[in-house]
Structures are given as structure tokens and as C-alpha cells.
Amino acid sequence: MPFATTLAVNDQRLAAIAQQDARKDRAFAWLTGLAAWSVFFTLLATIGTMFWGGREAFSTFGFGFITSSTWDPVNLQFGAFVPIYGTLVTSVIALVIAVPISFGIAVFLTELAPSWMRRPVGTAIELLAGIPSIVYGMWGLFVLVPFLGEHVFPWVDANLGQLWLIGPVFRGPPLGVGMGTAGLVLAIMVIPFIASVLREVFLSVPSQLKESAYALGSTTTEVVWHIVLPYTRSASIGAIFLGLGRALGETMAVTFVLGNSFNFSPSLLDPGTSITATIANEFAEASISPLYESSLIALAFVLFMVVLAVLIPAKLMLRQLAKRAGT
Amino acid sequence: MKITLKQSVLAVCASLSMSLSFAAEITGAGATFVFPAMSRWSSDYNAATQVKVNYQSIGSGGGIAQVKAKTVDFGSTDAPLKPEELAAAGLVQFPSVIGGVVPVVNLKGINAGQVKLSGKVLGDIFLGKITQWNAPEIAALNAGLALPNVRITVVHRSDGSGTTFNFVNYLSKVNAEWKAKVGEGVAVRWPTGLGGKGNEGVAAYTKRINGALGYVELSYATLNKMSHISMQNAAGKFVQPTLDSFRAAAASADWKNSKDFYLVITDAPGAASWPITATNFMLMQKLPTSPERAKAALEFFKWVYANGSKSAEALGYVALPNELVAQINAYWIANLKY
């Protein structure tokens, strides 16, 4: 009967199409999985090769590589304490300045600004995020350094530098270059990143939540603090860590305004150095000595570990917060 | 006529292979100290002979490594290799051009060449032992000059460099405490001061900070209109950093008795010599992978010795004295068998 054979043939064709579809889906899953796993393996391979390159430094200096503050290329004694300290301090200063300001920008753009202002200001911030870091470094050196050195730092040294406990942090020659300046330049570089991500994230809060809060009589501050922030908790912290990642890895802007000095000083007005600035400055001539090169690669490995040491507690903290909030 | 893919691929390959055999390109790598002169020479040489010279200024360490690995035809270094190291790597070494390191100062009210310093005092300043411009040690050398009570901010290099090598080599020769505490090398452990990246970085910091004292190559000091220091040389005379004082230092250096030209001419004898003069050295393989390219490189250097002096001097370098060029020619004949 033609009808029965048509049905049977249709079944066969449907089965064949279903098989093909399953195969295509499997291939697609395989390809995307390959992309994801290849990134993971590239990361592992990068960490592995850096550790392998730094093995001579680690075996020669041991744990002292991280605690010693001697960086002597002539006698081949390398200790990474000063660069690590510089990287951490400049990044912390950058975040301390950048996070409140970015938060303010994001809240202003999403809640408070008139709607005609939101698109242009948002675009302006995204443009700022695209400025290359070396331009920030040049601007910092030509504009910020003389300004800070002549007008701000002498005041800081004379007034804050004389206070009882925190004095040593603010005491020093008014050179204009130093860890404070580097932290400030980093903050300016990082603000557009954090602000634009926070703005996107704040916009994603469902308006019903905010409207119900307003309807119940909340002020704008209460809405932001109790509705928007908790809803976007993990994404906001992700935005801050994006900024922190950029601050930790920034090279050229920092090396222009940090002063590149290996003499340890707790003062923000004194020059220092960072891991990335050290590697950028010294890698070209380091091939004269395998231990020197190995120490620089070991420094890169230490930077990786610093980033991990910051990211992992952050993830754990996020998980704790989520647990407490019941999500 | 329809051209198939195969035919067009064959045509491209044929033309490529032809062009590869026609254009000779000499590659070199090494010190940044000589990069301005190198780029000028290579463009002039290309205009004269159609031969391209490609020089990558990746630093002396990189240049030494590349020429040892035979990936470049010649390498360039500011710190000469010892004869044993040259023999072990199968290299020859000869000077190319002479330059000088100039201490520069930024002090309100002080003009170029007014401040006089001796090598020992310069070393003490860089050690951090002398911290104010009106210190008695500096005043003793500068009778009649009113130096202000301003802190001295030392500016050194943050990156490894041949400029640093020659500067600290000089300090080690004239200041025993520097030699013991810090030593010499392309990068050292600076006891005090800020580090600028490259000659440009040192110039930038020095120009911005009142009371700053740094060191740069002569061309940077001239280009940036910086005030230089007048140094006391080995003969006790105070000299200014000019091409003539560099030339005097190069001429007074004892090249004849140096094996493989291993000689650092800082603190050169002679009444008119600038004490911080620096030589740039070229390295080549004794047994190169491509003798034609090595011969082409030698032709380039012969041209530089004969025709490159004017352009080098316009950039702040000094060409080698004629006796030294003759000595280099004899060295080539004795050591290079191609």
C-alpha cells in the first residue's frame, strides 16, 4: 500500500535525520569543549613552563627568593620582596581609590542621571577604558608627577608625615614619582573598567524589584544598598577583580611613574618597583646570566601565584556570601 | 588564457627564490648604545650599495647570545668579552665606534659645565654618602660657585645597559668603596636613587626633579639641552664632554697591547681625555654558516670606517682613530679565513 510504505520511508528518514542531528550536536559539543579545555591547558602549560624556567632561581634561593630584598645582578643575588611589595601596595591603593569612585559612577548612571546623559557618559567611560596604558604612563609622568611633586607631596610630607603612627607612610622627598603616584595612575586606569562593568551589571537588576522597593517608600540609597547590590553581588565582585587583575599586571604606566628603585621603603612618597616593571626593564639584558633570566621568570611565576592568592579567597568569600543569602 | 592555481603558485615561488638570491641582507643585533649610529649607517649604506643591513637593538646580552647561536651575522656589545670567552665561542671582537657617558644635572641657577666633580665624589654621591649639593666635598671642587642647599636625587638606569656598564666601570676604577660595595656590570644594585627606563627615562626624570643628577649618552644630553658636569680626569684636569675630549680618550687608550681589543677605555690617561668614554664592540663568528654574508658584513664595516665618521659625529659619537682601524684590518686578516 503506498501510504504504508510512505510512512515507513518517512520513519526511516526521520530516524536518519535524528541521527545526523545527534551527530552534529555531539560535534558541536566536542568543538566548544575543545576550545574551553584548550584554554585551561594553555593556562596550566604557561604556569608549568614559568615554574620550569624559574627552577634554577627557586633551587638556588629557596623560600628566601620571596622574603629577601636584595636584588644584585652583579653578585647574582636575587630576592623578590621589594617588587612583590610594590605590586601589592600599588594595586591596593588603586582599588581603594577606584572602587568607591566606580561604584559612584555606576550608581549615578543607572539610578540618578537624567536619561539623556546616560548614553554619552557611558560611551565616554568605555572610550577611557580603551586608552593604551603607555599613554596613561606618559600623561602620569608629564602632568601628574610635576603637579604632585610641587603642590601635593610637600604638604603631605609636612603635615601627614608628622603624625604619630602613620607618619612614616607619608614622609619622604617630594619627587613626584613613587608608589602613591603609581597607585593613583593605576586607579585612573582601572576606574573605567570597573565602572562600565558595574553599570552593565546594575542595569541587569529587574526593574520590578526596584519598583516594589520604591513603592514601599525606600529612598534611592536604600534601593541601591539593599536591592541592587545584593542582587549583583557576585558580578560586582567580579568587576572589582577584573580591575584588580589589570592593576596587578600593568607594566608600562607603572614603570614610568614608580621610580624603579629596589630600596625598600614603607613611604608612599618614595620610589619602589613592581614585578611587571622589573621584568620589563631587565629582561633584555638578563640573557648574560642564566640565573638572572631564571630569576625574572621566577618573578613572573610569583605574580601568577599572587593573582591566584587573591582570586581564590575571593571566590570562597563569594560562595560564603551566597550561602548566607540563601542562593 | 586561464591561469590555474598551480601555475600561479609556481610563478610566485620562482620569483621569490630569484629575489632571495639577489638581495643580500646582513643581520645584526645587540647594544642600544650604538643604535642611532647603526640606523644612520645602514640607510646610507643601502643608498650607496643596495645592500640592506638590519640591526635589532635588543641589548648587549641579546646580541652576544644571538651571535653565539649563529642566528645573526654580527652582534654588538658595550661590555667587551674576555679573550677566553671569545675563543670558547669561536668569535672575533673589534671596536666599531666610540661614545661617551655624560653626568647631567638639573639645578636651578646652574648652567652647563659649571659644576665640577671628581670621580671619587661622583661615586660617593651615587653611593648615597653625599646627599646635598652644598656638601663640603662638592664645594671644595667648586670654589666661587654658590651651590644651593638642595637634596641630590640620584637618577640611574632601571634597565640593563652598556651605558651603565661603562659608567659603573669608571666608578669602580676611581672609588674603592664603590668597587667593593656595588661592583660593575650592565645592571647593578644601586644603593640609592630612581631608575629611569633607557637614556630617555633618565633624561625625563632628571629634567623634572630639581637637584637631580643622572648619566646619559652625549647625544641625549645635547638633544635635551641638559646641563652636563665637568669631570676631573686621570691627569687631574677638569674637562667638558665634547667630541674632542672623547677623541683624546680614544687616542690615548692602549689598544696595541690589548688582546682581541679587550679594553674598557674609561678613566683614560691624557690631559684632555674625557674620563667616561665608551667603546662599542662588534662580534662575528670565525666560522660562520654563510661566508658570503659574513664577507658582506665585513664590507659594511670597512665602509663605516671609511665613510661613516661624519654621520656618527653628527649623532654624538666619535669615529675610531686611523691607527686603530689599521690594527682592526690586520686583526681581520689574521683571524678571519674568508
Side-chain angles (χ1 to χ4, degrees):
Chain A
M1 298 264 321
F3 186 58
T5 30
T6 318
L7 279 179
V9 166
N10 273 344
D11 275 339
Q12 267 182 4
R13 252 194 247 138
L14 280 174
I17 292 173
Q19 246 191 5
Q20 259 189 5
D21 283 347
R23 215 178 294 144
K24 279 191 213 156
D25 268 343
R26 267 204 308 275
F28 187 65
W30 201 82
L31 269 176
T32 48
L34 187 66
W37 281 106
S38 65
V39 170
F40 180 65
F41 281 127
T42 309
L43 179 68
L44 279 187
T46 315
I47 299 182
T49 44
M50 275 200 279
F51 183 72
W52 185 248
R55 71 191 186 286
E56 198 180 328
F58 287 127
S59 59
T60 315
F61 304 116
F63 195 68
F65 185 70
I66 305 195
T67 53
S68 156
S69 55
T70 313
W71 188 268
D72 191 344
V74 173
N75 299 313
L76 294 179
Q77 283 290 325
F78 298 108
F81 179 69
V82 179
I84 296 174
Y85 178 78
T87 300
L88 288 175
V89 167
T90 49
S91 305
V92 164
I93 297 174
L95 275 193
V96 162
I97 301 175
V99 167
I101 297 181
S102 312
F103 177 68
I105 293 174
V107 166
F108 181 76
L109 283 182
T110 52
E111 300 292 329
L112 303 169
S115 46
W116 58 264
M117 204 192 259
R118 292 183 189 184
R119 180 78 64 81
V121 176
T123 318
I125 294 188
E126 265 148 45
L127 278 177
L128 267 182
I131 295 181
S133 61
I134 199 162
V135 172
Y136 279 111
M138 258 178 49
W139 170 82
L141 182 60
F142 288 169
V143 175
L144 202 58
V145 162
F147 173 71
L148 290 176
E150 277 161 43
H151 301 281
V152 178
F153 284 165
W155 182 91
V156 169
D157 183 41
N159 295 309
L160 297 178
Q162 308 308 319
L163 294 179
W164 163 62
L165 198 59
I166 57 170
V169 175
F170 295 104
R171 213 178 296 157
L175 301 169
V177 296
M179 296 225 264
T181 317
L184 191 54
V185 171
L186 276 180
I188 298 174
M189 290 176 65
V190 151
I191 284 173
F193 270 80
I194 304 182
S196 61
V197 176
L198 277 182
R199 181 175 137 260
E200 292 295 324
V201 150
F202 286 177
L203 281 176
S204 74
V205 176
S207 46
Q208 295 98 318
L209 286 178
K210 292 193 281 189
E211 281 162 17
S212 352
Y214 282 126
L216 288 172
S218 310
T219 61
T220 317
T221 320
E222 283 167 348
V223 167
V224 167
W225 194 248
H226 293 289
I227 307 286
V228 174
L229 270 189
Y231 186 84
T232 58
R233 187 193 323 114
S234 65
S236 302
I237 298 199
I240 295 176
F241 278 93
L242 188 71
L244 177 63
R246 187 168 191 204
L248 283 174
E250 196 44 63
T251 309
M252 287 321 284
V254 167
T255 196
F256 277 20
V257 298
L258 190 48
N260 302 309
S261 159
F262 279 91
N263 298 311
F264 175 74
S265 160
S267 165
L268 293 183
L269 269 58
D270 273 336
T273 186
S274 76
I275 296 177
T276 45
T278 306
I279 296 175
N281 279 325
E282 306 200 9
F283 206 79
E285 292 279 347
S287 40
I288 48 175
S289 156
L291 183 57
Y292 197 177
E293 224 177 16
S294 173
S295 301
L296 289 177
I297 301 178
L299 257 187
F301 179 76
V302 167
L303 181 61
F304 239 123
M305 293 297 113
V306 164
V307 171
L308 274 183
V310 160
L311 273 178
I312 292 178
K315 288 279 181 196
L316 289 175
M317 176 182 78
L318 272 178
R319 204 182 298 175
Q320 280 286 63
L321 281 176
K323 230 185 272 177
R324 225 183 297 153
T327 40
Chain B
M1 170 186 132
K2 234 177 141 177
I3 304 179
T4 64
L5 182 64
K6 204 192 217 178
Q7 283 172 330
S8 40
V9 166
L10 277 174
V12 167
C13 287
S15 56
L16 264 180
S17 60
M18 269 179 56
S19 60
L20 278 175
S21 58
F22 269 46
E25 181 170 312
I26 310 166
T27 51
T32 54
F33 186 79
V34 74
F35 179 68
M38 260 298 169
S39 41
R40 187 64 194 279
W41 288 332
S42 64
S43 75
D44 290 345
Y45 191 61
N46 191 26
T49 63
Q50 311 309 322
V51 177
K52 270 180 66 150
V53 177
N54 185 349
Y55 183 74
Q56 301 293 322
S57 64
I58 55 177
S60 304
I64 297 172
Q66 296 303 317
V67 77
K68 276 188 187 171
K70 296 191 182 183
T71 48
V72 291
D73 299 313
F74 65 90
S76 159
T77 169
D78 295 316
L81 297 182
K82 297 207 171 64
E84 307 86 56
E85 216 185 320
L86 291 168
L91 297 171
V92 295
Q93 172 175 268
F94 50 91
S96 61
V97 76
I98 304 230
V101 181
V102 178
V104 284
V105 66
N106 175 6
L107 210 48
K108 283 206 187 73
I110 299 290
N111 299 321
Q114 272 190 314
V115 180
K116 298 195 185 71
L117 289 179
S118 71
K120 179 162 187 319
V121 168
L122 185 64
D124 284 340
I125 296 176
F126 271 80
L127 278 169
K129 288 170 66 177
I130 301 178
T131 54
Q132 302 286 122
W133 277 108
N134 60 348
E137 298 90 336
I138 305 180
L141 296 166
N142 290 281
L145 188 63
L147 290 163
N149 183 18
V150 169
R151 176 206 301 258
I152 305 180
T153 304
V154 165
V155 182
H156 53 78
R157 289 285 288 269
S158 61
D159 49 333
S161 134
T163 316
T164 300
F165 169 75
N166 283 290
F167 186 69
V168 297
N169 175 286
Y170 170 66
L171 289 183
S172 301
K173 282 183 180 165
V174 296
N175 188 312
E177 194 180 342
W178 180 272
K179 191 178 165 88
K181 261 185 90 175
V182 182
E184 57 183 271
V186 284
V188 297
R189 184 185 180 193
W190 299 96
T192 178
L194 307 173
K197 184 163 170 54
N199 278 304
E200 318 80 45
V202 173
Y205 279 160
T206 311
K207 282 175 75 167
R208 265 159 192 72
I209 298 173
N210 188 33
L213 173 65
Y215 63 92
V216 293
E217 258 184 74
L218 178 65
S219 45
Y220 287 91
T222 330
L223 272 171
N224 287 298
K225 300 195 181 34
M226 306 181 74
S227 297
H228 54 259
I229 302 262
S230 171
M231 292 294 303
Q232 189 179 36
N233 61 15
K237 301 263 182 295
F238 288 98
V239 287
Q240 305 286 349
T242 61
L243 292 179
D244 288 320
S245 56
F246 292 2
R247 250 189 285 268
S252 70
D254 186 17
W255 292 106
K256 287 207 183 23
N257 291 322
S258 64
K259 187 168 186 326
D260 285 313
F261 301 102
Y262 178 74
L263 182 66
V264 185
I265 60 174
T266 53
D267 206 27
S273 304
W274 176 252
I276 327 180
T277 322
T279 318
N280 176 261
F281 297 89
M282 293 294 168
L283 301 166
M284 285 177 68
Q285 282 281 343
K286 272 197 179 144
L287 300 167
T289 44
S290 160
E292 303 87 51
R293 292 244 294 267
K295 256 196 262 191
L298 281 183
E299 290 302 312
F300 170 64
F301 289 123
K302 282 191 195 137
W303 180 93
V304 163
Y305 294 141
N307 303 313
S309 351
K310 257 230 239 124
S311 44
E313 283 181 18
L315 292 163
Y317 303 90
V318 165
L320 304 180
N322 292 326
E323 310 84 51
L324 186 51
V325 177
Q327 198 181 338
I328 296 173
N329 273 307
Y331 178 76
W332 284 345
I333 295 174
N335 286 290
L336 298 173
K337 302 296 179 219
Y338 44 77

